[in-house]
Structure formats: structure tokens, C-alpha cells
Amino acid sequence: MNTDNYISGSEALMRSLIQEGVDTIFGYPGGAIMPVFDSLYDYRGKLNHILVRHEQGATHAAQGYARVSGKVGVALLTSGPGATNAITGIADAMIDSTPLIVITGQVSSALLGSDAFQETDVVGITLPITKWAYQIRSAEEIPWAIARAFYIASTGRPGAVVLDLAKDAQVNKFDYIYKKIHHIRSYQPIPDMVPGKVAEAAHLIDYAKKPLALIGQGVILGHAEEELKAFLEKADIPAAWTMLGLSAMPSDYPLNMGMLGMHGNIGPNRMTNECDLLIAIGMRFDDRVTGDLNTYAKQAKIIHFDIDPAEIDKNVKTTVAVLGDVKETLPAVTRLLNKNDHSEWKKEFKPYEDLEFEKVIKKEIYPEEGPLKMGEVVNKVSEATDHNAILVTDVGQNQMMGLRYFKFKQSRSCVTSGGLGTMGFGLPAAIGAKFGAPDRTVCLFVGDGGLQMTIQELGTIMQTDINIKIILLNNSFLGMVRQWQELFFDERYSETPMKNPNFVAIAAAYGIAGKRVDKREELQDAITEMLNHNGSYLLEVTVENKGMVYPMIPAGTCVTNIILGE
């Protein structure tokens, strides 16, 4: 026996994480995970542990880290309430295809099922919202379980994995051997590419007169940004991105026609119902993109590129499904395409672009008078960073304005909660994003409601001394709910006005510099001060309290049913 490898389960966990390339963990200690944290003490310098202030914050921070770094995010938590506090982040990661591993402590094996102190059925709770959930009851299982967890979380369509680690497994010793996993029987992360489907797709594209590509996060997850450009340029196809697809191509890319969805751009939404070929690439036809499925793109043939067979025909019936990794399937189709020119078709987007600028954009980002607007703040911050920063948003009007008016030059520059729409996501996700890309500027846009859901994570900023720029768009309302109440509930503002604290003073209590701005003539200088400040900064901007996010497609209606406001 090699005594150097005869180690406890807790030390085995540390070594296994390092074997998988982990350098950063977000977590919070507690009784049932204490042996692991004791082993972590000896691995400082090899594993950077970020002490958050709430377990939900750990999961969102790990998500932000994963989204910008391309690595698996890891959260380390205790049992009982520690585990249940992580449920929101696990669900958020799963629906947004974010590779996340959450390791929770658990009572000793002998106590399982006895309602012991801080015992909960973590596996039972998380099975519906994970790719894999497993309870480790012996130390010998730890290397195998970690290797399997990383393989499952990061391959195919990424997602969340939960490992529930019994306390006796943490302390018992065994002869440690680590083997990475590259194959699991019955698990095929990447479907086989079918040459016949590739040829069918190429044929449809060659003969389309009005093709439109819909770009989802799958392009980013598959590291296929350059392959996407080659595909679009050869066939001269206009493209639009989903919320999670933002930054897959530069904002000013000539074939980029804007954002799809409820608060997306007029052109791509309307052209969805005017194109003759719709090409979905790494996106899942979410209801916020499709609206009423009975009226969605009925005139078009549909090609769907995806790595997940479950997404094919789930919401929208496809003409041709091209399964596989887009980094391989896109070039396979591109090789078969004829060089094309769709100049006349692309010109049809211009009138809608001009209409949106006149009716919505100009009023939002270049207002001549009145209170400050969310869009103008976002636009000025983006310009001040030369469009090179990472955008992190919370959820609500701040999110939609951020996604609409922040611009991107490079991929993996947008971190937002898509499918679950989690208020409170923004602040911890921004912390994780900064650790995932320490050399980049991270700008968080958050509302007064969402910030207060995870405001304790200002303590994490204080403890780690990281540099995040927090732009609080304060309208003293739960803004998006208020917008719906105004439009669809006869302006009955039930429980949406908010009486707020002095946010700048709260930030100061955590050692974070800040300023409150409510005048347009002060905004530019305040943004400059924020960006030049060496450290985190909270810029609170008082914006119009009844601002609206337009355009807007009412939920469940046709994608051409677009409200432009007054």
C-alpha cells in the first residue's frame, strides 16, 4: 500500500477536484461538510475557496464563473438548509444549460432515514432538476463519482449535477486512485451526425430565398463562434440571437439583425413569420421567443441544429433536424453550401430597424428631457467600456434594458438568468464572473428589487476585495411586474411600489465606494468615476419610476403582435 495515497475521503475530494482542473470553489461551511472544509485548509493555494454569504449565492456565483470561463462551476455546501438553499441555483443552471456541480454534506450513512439533525433527501429533491444526482456513502466512491460528475456536467448539453456526500465517507480512509471518465455506458452526450440530414439541410439553404438563422447559447457552449460566421457568410444569411445567445457574434456583425423574443427587436421577430426557411442553431424555441405556437413561422421550413435530441420537435415541428455538436455539424453543412447572395432579403430588415429607432430606441437612449431612463444608462456604460465589458444582469426591466442596449465585441460576455428568470441572480453571478475572467471589466445591472434578494453578497465582495461595477437602476418599483399591471391589469399596482433603503450607505458599510445620481448632467462623470475607481463601486441611478420596456410582444400572442408604446 502506498501510504501517500491512503487518505481520507475529504482529501480524496480535494485531489479529485484538482485532477479535474478546478481552481475556484464557491461555498459555505457547516456541520455535515466540516471534514471537507478541514481538508480544504491544507489545499489553500491550489484551490481558491470563495466564502459567500448564502448558499444560493454560491450556486449563482458558480454559474457566473462557468458562463464566462467555459469551465465547470463548483459549489461546496453543507446538508439540510445548506442544500435546500441551493435549489434555485441548481434549477437555474439546469434550464440554462450551465455546467454546475454542487457538492453537499450529508449525515453519516448510519443515520440516513432517521430524520437526523439537518438531514434532507437531497437526491430526491434534486433529481428532477439535474442531469445526475447521487449520494456517496463510502469514501471509495469519491474518485469515481467526481470523475463521473464532471463528465456528465460538461459534456453534451451541459447542466447541473449534485453529489450528496455522507459524513462518514468524508472521514474514512482508503487507497486513492483517480481515473478520468471519458465514456459512460447508455449515456451518449453527442448524437451521431447523419450525413443525409446534413445534405438535406444544405439543399434547403441553397434554394431558400429568405433564410433566417436563430442563434442560441449552443453556439457559445460548443465554442463554434467562428464556425457560425463561416456558415452565415457563405450563404449570406441574416441572423438573430436569443437572450442566452447574446455575444455569440459581435453586436455590429453585418449579418446580426438583433435579438429575438418578447422584448427583442422588431425586424427579426416580424421576419420570423416572413422568412421561407428558419434555421435554429443551438436554441430551444422557448415560449418567450415563439409566442403563440399556432401562428409561429407557419410559412417556413425549419432546420434545427441541436445536440439534445429531446429538443427536436418538442415545441416546433422541424423539416430537417441536424443532430450533433455544432462545432462539427455547422462546418459539415457549410462545406456543401453554394456561395449565395441575399442582399435584397437583408434589405427588408432595414425599414423595421428604422421604425424601432424612431419609435423606441431614440426615445430610450437619447432622451431630450425628463427623468433618466434605464436604456440611456446602459448605453452610456457600454460605450464607456468600448463594448468590451462582461454584462451581468439581474431579472426584470434592468435585464431587458441591459440585453437590448449593451453591446458586445467578444463571446462569453453576457451572463443572465434565462429560463428560470431568477431575481437575485445578478450580484452573486457577477462575483463569479469576475473570478472566471479576472482581467475583464464586469458590469452588473440590477434593480432595487433584485438587489435586495441577495444583497448580503456585498459581504463576499468585501471579503475577497474584487472589482465589480454595480449599476443599480432604481425606479422604486418591481418594474417588470408593474409594467404588466399597467398594460394588462388596469394599472392596479398591487404590491409593486417599493420603499427602499439608502443603498449607497449600505455599500459603504461593506467598504464599497458608491454614488447616487438623479440628474442627466451628472451621469457621464459618475460612470467615468465608477470605471476608473480601483475596486468595486455601486452607482445608483434614479430612473423614471414608470418606465416601460418596448417593443413588447404580449405573452402567448403572435410574434408579429408588437407593442411599440406611445
Side-chain angles (χ1 to χ4, degrees):
M1 181 187 299
N2 183 347
T3 55
D4 289 341
N5 288 332
Y6 190 69
I7 57 176
S8 69
S10 294
E11 186 172 356
L13 177 60
M14 298 298 105
R15 291 194 191 181
S16 299
L17 292 174
I18 291 169
Q19 287 279 351
E20 291 294 341
V22 175
D23 53 26
T24 303
I25 304 170
F26 303 89
Y28 203 95
I33 198 69
M34 201 173 295
V36 170
F37 274 86
D38 184 65
S39 291
L40 179 64
Y41 190 88
D42 295 325
Y43 282 82
R44 292 175 297 176
K46 293 181 179 179
L47 290 171
N48 182 27
H49 179 270
I50 311 305
L51 178 64
V52 297
R53 296 304 186 261
H54 189 280
E55 290 86 358
Q56 182 181 346
T59 56
H60 294 327
Q63 286 177 271
Y65 174 89
R67 294 271 281 274
V68 303
S69 70
K71 300 173 70 173
V72 177
V74 179
L76 183 61
L77 312 170
T78 194
S79 66
T84 57
N85 282 345
I87 298 303
T88 299
I90 294 167
D92 194 288
M94 189 63 184
I95 198 168
D96 280 355
S97 303
T98 302
L100 171 70
I101 294 176
V102 175
I103 302 167
T104 61
Q106 183 56 276
V107 301
S108 294
S109 300
L111 294 176
L112 288 170
S114 69
D115 292 332
F117 178 66
Q118 292 190 335
E119 179 193 4
T120 54
D121 182 4
V122 175
V123 171
I125 292 170
T126 59
L127 269 174
I129 53 171
T130 54
K131 286 186 75 176
W132 186 50
Y134 183 75
Q135 188 172 77
I136 302 171
R137 299 188 182 189
S138 69
E140 289 81 1
E141 290 183 285
I142 290 173
W144 168 86
I146 290 293
R148 188 179 179 97
F150 274 85
Y151 182 64
I152 291 173
S154 63
T155 56
R157 180 178 178 176
V161 169
V162 167
L163 295 178
D164 191 40
L165 183 55
K167 197 166 186 179
D168 50 328
Q170 300 172 41
V171 298
N172 291 339
K173 292 187 175 183
F174 72 109
D175 194 16
Y176 174 78
I177 300 175
Y178 195 81
K179 293 181 181 178
K180 287 195 175 186
I181 287 179
H182 302 286
H183 171 76
I184 296 174
R185 191 177 64 180
S186 79
Y187 171 59
Q188 185 180 6
I190 303 175
D192 294 329
M193 183 168 54
V194 180
K197 297 296 183 182
V198 169
E200 284 182 52
H203 178 79
L204 286 177
I205 294 167
D206 277 341
Y207 286 92
K209 301 298 182 185
K210 296 183 175 184
L212 175 61
L214 312 183
I215 311 306
Q217 188 188 200
V219 171
I220 298 171
L221 295 172
H223 305 278
E225 293 89 347
E226 294 305 313
E227 289 79 3
L228 172 68
K229 289 180 184 178
F231 168 79
L232 295 176
E233 289 168 13
K234 188 172 184 181
D236 197 31
I237 300 172
W241 50 24
T242 66
M243 276 176 48
L244 295 182
L246 263 69
S247 81
M249 47 190 173
S251 296
D252 61 358
Y253 182 58
L255 292 171
N256 184 358
M257 300 299 159
M259 187 172 74
L260 298 158
M262 178 177 283
H263 294 289
N265 298 110
I266 299 172
N269 278 322
R270 284 199 178 276
M271 291 310 193
T272 298
N273 277 15
E274 295 183 28
C275 65
D276 61 2
L277 179 65
L278 201 62
I279 308 164
I281 307 174
M283 54 88 73
R284 61 187 180 87
F285 288 112
D286 177 75
D287 63 287
R288 288 294 173 96
V289 165
T290 65
D292 180 9
L293 287 170
N294 293 318
T295 60
Y296 183 77
K298 293 302 179 184
Q299 80 295 338
K301 293 182 178 178
I302 310 262
I303 298 173
H304 194 171
F305 289 81
D306 212 289
I307 202 168
D308 185 359
E311 291 300 332
I312 304 301
D313 296 334
K314 185 180 80 174
N315 295 325
V316 175
K317 180 69 177 175
T318 57
T319 309
V320 177
V322 184
L323 285 168
D325 186 338
V326 287
K327 197 169 181 67
E328 298 175 359
T329 56
L330 278 175
V333 172
T334 303
R335 285 191 290 270
L336 300 180
L337 293 177
N338 296 322
K339 184 71 176 173
N340 217 325
D341 182 354
H342 291 293
S343 298
E344 294 304 313
W345 163 233
K346 289 186 294 183
K347 288 178 183 176
E348 294 187 34
F349 287 80
K350 188 64 166 63
Y352 293 125
E353 184 181 318
D354 293 342
L355 174 66
E356 185 170 345
F357 183 82
E358 286 299 320
K359 293 288 187 180
V360 179
I361 296 173
K362 185 169 69 172
K363 298 176 183 178
E364 183 64 38
I365 68 174
Y366 304 122
E368 296 178 354
E369 58 184 7
L372 284 160
K373 290 179 172 287
M374 288 189 182
E376 70 175 306
V377 180
V378 173
N379 181 62
K380 284 185 180 296
V381 173
S382 185
E383 288 181 341
T385 62
D386 196 28
H387 313 306
N388 278 314
I390 293 172
L391 166 70
V392 183
T393 81
D394 204 79
V395 167
Q397 289 183 318
N398 66 87
Q399 176 185 36
M400 292 302 137
M401 290 299 191
L403 301 179
R404 281 183 56 81
Y405 298 115
F406 210 82
K407 306 302 180 193
F408 308 100
K409 288 185 176 179
Q410 56 184 302
S411 187
R412 295 190 178 272
S413 294
C414 181
V415 181
T416 193
S417 173
L420 201 63
T422 304
M423 287 182 68
F425 172 89
L427 182 56
I431 293 170
K434 186 63 179 180
F435 280 104
D439 296 331
R440 297 188 63 190
T441 299
V442 174
C443 293
L444 164 66
F445 287 89
V446 62
D448 43 307
L451 179 59
Q452 292 182 84
M453 286 195 169
T454 51
I455 197 168
Q456 70 278 352
E457 298 309 329
L458 293 175
T460 305
I461 294 175
M462 177 176 64
Q463 181 143 350
T464 57
D465 198 29
I466 56 171
N467 185 353
I468 294 170
K469 309 308 181 185
I470 305 167
I471 303 94
L472 169 59
L473 302 174
N474 188 351
N475 58 8
S476 297
F477 264 105
L478 296 175
M480 189 58 84
V481 182
R482 185 212 55 77
Q483 176 166 333
W484 282 52
Q485 288 173 335
E486 181 166 327
L487 292 174
F488 310 118
F489 291 88
D490 299 322
E491 300 184 20
R492 291 158 59 87
Y493 301 130
S494 177
E495 300 305 318
T496 49
M498 296 199 67
K499 185 175 182 180
N500 287 316
N502 185 330
F503 290 107
V504 174
I506 292 174
Y510 285 100
I512 298 170
K515 175 177 285 189
R516 179 180 174 126
V517 170
D518 55 17
K519 294 182 176 62
R520 184 163 286 114
E521 56 269 25
E522 300 172 341
L523 180 60
Q524 190 63 60
D525 287 345
I527 291 171
T528 300
E529 179 181 321
M530 172 185 71
L531 294 174
N532 289 339
H533 179 73
N534 184 23
S536 288
Y537 194 103
L538 173 70
L539 176 59
E540 179 183 1
V541 184
T542 305
V543 295
E544 59 179 333
N545 65 355
K546 291 188 180 180
M548 305 288 276
V549 184
Y550 290 123
M552 179 180 183
I553 301 170
T557 65
C558 179
V559 291
T560 60
N561 182 19
I562 301 172
I563 302 172
L564 297 181
E566 297 178 358

